[in-house]
Each structure stands twice: as structure tokens, then as C-alpha cells.
Amino acid sequence: MSTRLFELMLWAAGKTVLLSAISIAIGLAIGLLVCAAKLSPRRLLSIPATVYVSLFRGVPLLVQLLLIYNLLPVLGILVPSEVAAIAGLSLCTAAYQAENLRGGFNSVPRGLIEAADMVGMSPWQQLRRIRAPIAFRLTLPALVNEMILILKASSLISVVGVIELTRMAQNLSASTFRPLLFYSVAGAIYLVICWLVAGGGSLAERLMRTGSSR
Amino acid sequence: MTRPAVRIRDVHKSFGNTEVLKGIELSVPKGSTTCLLGPSGSGKSTLLRCIAFLEETTSGLIEIDGDPLGFADPGGGRSRTRLSAGDIRRVRAKIGMVFQQFNLWPHMTALGNVTEALVTVQGMKRSAANEIGNQQLARVGLSDRGHHYPSELSGGQQQRVAIARALALSPDILLFDEPTASLDPELTGEVLNVMRELAETGMTLVIVTHEIGFAASVGQKIAFLDHGKLLLDGPPAEIFGTPRHPRLEQFLETYLDRGAATLV
Ligand SMILES: Nc1ncnc2c1ncn2[C@@H]1O[C@H](COP(=O)(O)OP(=O)(O)OP(=O)(O)O)[C@@H](O)[C@H]1O
Ligand SMILES: [Mg+2]
């Protein structure tokens, strides 16, 4: 493989990472809101959140992407395909992240909250200082897992016309007639990225277990 | 006579259809140590949690230093009214609680646990809070453990941090729910010693415990609960002296047989 072609593959890998990272971050923000709504005692909030989660977990991501891509122009929204791709990935991962977060919040031991009650913390102080940090620590492994899933699932966004790692491999295979080479390289790049993410995750977990790097 | 630190008036508590507390009357004098004894399931934890307002009573009233906690009696035989969250927090600020499971926040150091409320709730400066925190840790013999996380401490040390956390807010009343029950036997002594010292400083303590020897030597008042009723209430000499109430006798035998404690 010439350097030029390898650079193209790396550029595409960069795009995969960038779009995945943005989608994970937006998905985390939406996921937090959905989780909060779902934990709310108000049915006006919890029911829509439940519907959201079951819809986005129940429909294949590929179908969601195609729906969003075709729906946006109908609504008169003209955006680059990257934006449509990010919208699809974020909305989907948000549903999973909301459920992970909910599990985290529900696993915060009751006694820790009672201890916060006894020192006079308000509900908001408890959320900020006790429940959220502990829930986040409990959720971290699932978050890393979700990052890896989204990195790999991002190969689907080629259907809405984004040239990312998988599509680049496909294109180069077709023009050079060397599919084995390009798909192997693509596979190896995915693998390395996922290793890095997993490694970063374990490092973060280790630092958090003792609370800091001190 | 001065107002009692805690006054419990005809308190009932039910979980669903099961009545767990059946009309408790008890007053805890200021500056005294009261030990709550009773068989498992008799309602000791429930009573203590009602005093901390971690559980709401079904009926009856609890006063902390004369102030109604949670519910007030409007007088004239009308039913009790619920107080505002602000009132509840104000009265509850006089109470500290130490739990059987320590309940230290795992993501904060020992010092962080002790100073958290000083900073977050009282808005104290970090440096001032640390000063108080270090004083309280020293008081429970843990000056050198401030920067350790709970997972790096033994059970006895964790429980002492939990005591320091409660003390940092200078409560008038400190509640303990079986503070040594989840500790290895060799670690109970260090926690009981800290509690004994606290009792000597004249703080009001209410202690649920199965350490009968400790209760007999440190308690100024023993309350014996059985099936949700306060069966006995008096100074240890009177409660433990002969002749004993048959239910207490039975209870003591179970614990003494197990070797869990020895009567002093
Ligand atoms: N949240 C709850 N829901 C339903 N029942 C409860 C609840 N908490 C306590 N109970 C019941 O109330 C009764 C008294 O419980 P409590 O924990 O006060 O007993 P205890 O005297 O502290 O016992 P132990 O010595 O075992 O700690 C028990 O029968 C228990 O099953
Ligand atoms: Mg109990």
C-alpha cells in the first residue's frame, strides 16, 4: 500500500473517531436528561423518557440513520450528511446511556444518601456531591463499553454518504482490486482504537477507585 | 427540670399492615447516654431512625430539645400537622447519626468525608473546614489517616471516621445504630472506646447496641424494647439488678450464651 493510500485510511479513521466522539458526548448529555426524566416521579416526564428509550433501543441503528437522513429534507432541514450521521448516532447511544446511568443512580447505596441527609445536604447538594459522582463511577465501565460499540457501529454511517473508515476501505478496495489488504488494515485500525479506548477506561477506573492519582 | 434532649410521645410506626412501634414513650435527658436494647426485630433501629427522621412515624410526636421534629401538635385534640422541609432540616441539624454500615462516601478521603458538610452545607472555607476536620479526626485517633479513602481503612477506622464526620457538625445529640455490629471482634474495642470518651464529655448519646457490658457500664439509662413496646426504662443498676424482668432475663441469656458480651 502506498503511503498516500495509507494516509487516506488514517484520515478516514480520524473521521470515524471524531464523529464517534462527538456522538458519544452529545449522547451522554441527552442520556443524562432522559435518565433524569425517567427517574422523575412525574409521569409527564417519565413516560416520554420510557418511550424514547424503547424506540431507540428497539429500532436498528441502520434504519434510524436512513430514517433521519431522509426525514430531515422533508422537514426542510438541509444539513451535511455528517450532521445527519451525528444526529442518528447520538440519539441512539443516548437511549443506551440513559439506561446505564439509571442503573448507576439506582445502585447508589441508600445508606450513603441517608448519611448525606443526616449532615443536612439538600437534594440538589446530594445529587451534585454524592449521587452523581458515585453513579458516574458505577457507570464508567458501561460507558467505555458503549464507546466501543459506537466506534464500531459508526461504520453504518456510510449509508448516509459519510466517508469514514469502512467506506474508505471499500472505495480503495474497489479502485485497487485489493479488498483483503484494505479490509485488514481497516480492521486493524478499529482494533487499535478500541484497545486505546478500553485501556483509557481501565486507567480511569483505577484512578477513580482510589479516588485520585495521589 | 430542664427540657429533655429527645422526647418521644406515643409514637407508632407501621410498615404496611405491620405495626413495628406500638406506642413508645421515652425521654432522653440532656448530656446522658441512653442505650436501647432488645431482641432482633423488636424495633430498635426503627425507633432510632424515627428520631433521626429517616423514617416518618405513623402517629405520635417527637421533640428534639423542645422543638417538634417533622410533625407538630396543633393542640385542641386536632391531628398533627406536617412541618416544612426547612423546619425539619433546622431541627435535624441538632442530630448526628452513626450507622452500622459506616456509610462513608467512597469517593472522598477520610478528611473529605468529615469536611464535606462544613463546606457544602455551611459554606465554610476549605482551609477552615480542614482545620476542624483534622481536629475531629485526631479526636477519634486518626490524625494520620485523613488522606486515605474508606476502602483503604479497616472497619474500625471507617467507623471512627463516621463518628468524626458526625462530630464535625457539633450536634447536640448523637445516634448510633449498632456501631460495632459489622466489625470484627478485635476492632470493636477501638470504636467503643471513642464512644466511651464521648459519653464522658457530656454529649447526649442514644446507642442501639448488643454490647451489653458496654451498655451497663456507660449507659445512664437503659431502654429495653420488645415487640415494638418499651418494656423497661431506667438506670442500669435497676434494669440489670435482680429481680430481672423475665423477658430481659431471656434476652440476656441469649446474648451471654453466645458469648457476645459479659455483664459488668
Ligand atoms: N423498611 C421496612 N419495611 C418493612 N418492614 C420493615 C422495614 N424496616 C424494618 N421493618 C420491620 O420492622 C421490624 C423491626 O425492625 P428493626 O430493624 O427496627 O428491628 P431491630 O430491633 O433494629 O432489629 P435488629 O437487632 O435485627 O437490628 C422488623 O420486623 C422488620 O422486619
Ligand atoms: Mg437494627
Side-chain angles (χ1 to χ4, degrees):
Chain A
M1 188 194 301
S2 74
T3 328
R4 167 87 190 109
L5 294 186
F6 189 64
E7 274 172 14
L8 278 176
M9 289 293 281
L10 284 184
W11 174 84
K15 198 151 177 189
T16 286
V17 170
L18 183 67
L19 294 183
S20 302
I22 294 174
S23 305
I24 289 280
I26 298 176
L28 182 60
I30 302 175
L32 264 173
L33 293 178
V34 174
C35 166
K38 207 168 168 184
L39 288 173
S40 161
R42 291 189 206 170
R43 295 167 63 111
L44 202 66
L45 292 173
S46 68
I47 291 175
T50 307
V51 171
Y52 177 91
V53 168
S54 63
L55 275 185
F56 280 87
R57 286 202 309 181
V59 176
L61 178 57
L62 187 55
V63 176
Q64 287 174 35
L65 285 166
L66 290 169
L67 268 174
I68 289 173
Y69 185 61
N70 289 291
L71 183 69
L72 288 179
V74 174
L75 299 175
I77 305 171
L78 298 174
V79 291
S81 38
E82 276 82 358
V83 174
I86 288 173
L89 284 178
S90 332
L91 290 174
C92 174
T93 183
Y96 287 92
Q97 296 197 50
E99 283 302 273
N100 290 341
L101 286 167
R102 192 170 65 95
F105 275 101
N106 283 337
S107 311
V108 176
R110 220 186 130 51
L112 300 188
I113 296 166
E114 289 181 348
D117 263 331
M118 288 312 298
V119 298
M121 283 195 212
S122 68
W124 169 245
Q125 290 167 339
Q126 294 183 18
L127 178 67
R128 197 165 53 82
R129 299 291 302 164
I130 309 293
R131 293 172 60 208
I134 294 174
F136 181 69
R137 279 163 176 75
L138 294 171
T139 313
L140 190 64
L143 177 63
V144 171
N145 210 28
E146 183 64 16
M147 284 180 187
I148 290 175
L149 287 174
I150 285 298
L151 267 166
K152 293 187 296 180
S154 70
S155 61
L156 294 174
I157 62 180
S158 55
V159 299
V160 297
V162 178
I163 298 181
E164 40 62 71
L165 186 53
T166 301
R167 173 50 63 93
M168 183 61 87
Q170 220 171 3
N171 290 351
L172 296 182
S173 309
S175 53
T176 60
F177 303 106
R178 298 179 69 185
L180 275 183
L181 173 67
F182 283 100
Y183 288 129
S184 309
V185 170
I189 294 178
Y190 277 115
L191 196 59
V192 169
I193 297 172
C194 289
W195 274 343
L196 291 177
V197 171
S202 343
L203 186 68
E205 256 176 78
R206 244 199 333 277
L207 290 182
M208 276 185 184
R209 188 151 310 135
T210 45
S212 80
S213 50
R214 231 178 311 118
Chain B
M1 208 185 101
T2 57
R3 286 187 300 216
V6 183
R7 188 155 161 234
I8 299 170
R9 287 160 56 193
D10 195 26
V11 157
H12 291 253
K13 171 70 186 174
S14 302
F15 291 109
N17 290 327
T18 0
E19 190 170 44
V20 173
L21 297 178
K22 303 168 181 165
I24 305 282
E25 296 276 351
L26 178 69
S27 80
V28 173
K30 267 186 196 163
S32 73
T33 297
T34 299
C35 293
L36 282 176
L37 305 181
S40 184
S42 55
K44 306 180 295 294
S45 295
T46 305
L47 180 58
L48 201 71
R49 291 169 58 80
C50 286
I51 300 174
F53 206 64
L54 289 172
E55 300 286 356
E56 291 186 15
T57 56
T58 311
S59 67
L61 292 170
I62 296 180
E63 282 169 11
I64 305 296
D65 192 19
D67 290 327
L69 174 68
F71 299 94
D73 180 7
R78 282 172 298 162
S79 60
R80 62 182 193 170
T81 53
R82 206 193 149 85
L83 298 174
S84 71
D87 278 336
I88 292 171
R89 208 172 299 159
R90 190 176 48 77
V91 176
R92 193 149 74 166
K94 298 180 180 173
I95 307 171
M97 175 120 174
V98 175
F99 301 86
Q100 181 177 341
Q101 300 301 335
F102 327 137
N103 293 342
L104 292 181
W105 301 306
H107 59 301
M108 297 179 188
T109 60
L111 185 63
N113 269 275
V114 177
T115 54
E116 175 59 26
L118 293 174
V119 175
T120 307
V121 180
Q122 301 188 357
M124 199 178 275
K125 284 226 170 62
R126 175 49 66 193
S127 55
N130 282 350
E131 196 169 313
I132 296 181
N134 283 319
Q135 278 166 13
Q136 297 305 335
L137 284 173
R139 191 165 169 190
V140 298
L142 289 173
S143 323
D144 53 339
R145 290 288 183 272
H147 291 289
H148 289 246
Y149 285 85
S151 59
E152 302 165 335
L153 297 172
S154 73
Q157 291 172 333
Q158 289 186 53
Q159 191 60 296
R160 286 185 284 149
V161 173
I163 294 173
R165 173 172 69 182
L167 289 175
L169 300 172
S170 14
D172 297 336
I173 304 159
L174 203 46
L175 310 175
F176 294 81
D177 191 1
E178 302 202 40
T180 57
S182 42
L183 297 177
D184 292 337
E186 70 268 25
L187 298 179
T188 60
E190 61 189 55
V191 173
L192 292 180
N193 283 338
V194 167
M195 292 165 62
R196 191 174 280 121
E197 281 165 21
L198 283 178
E200 283 162 8
T201 65
M203 183 178 251
T204 308
L205 308 181
V206 181
I207 305 171
V208 172
T209 184
H210 287 303
E211 301 281 342
I212 298 171
F214 176 85
S217 66
V218 177
Q220 274 120 28
K221 187 176 172 114
I222 303 291
F224 180 69
L225 273 173
D226 191 33
H227 289 110
K229 291 203 171 112
L230 192 67
L231 217 52
L232 303 167
D233 168 13
E238 182 190 310
I239 302 286
F240 292 123
T242 43
R244 290 185 195 136
H245 191 284
R247 284 293 294 151
L248 176 67
E249 190 69 49
Q250 205 181 350
F251 168 76
L252 290 177
E253 270 166 23
T254 333
Y255 279 88
L256 296 178
D257 281 352
R258 269 199 237 150
T262 42
L263 257 183
V264 180

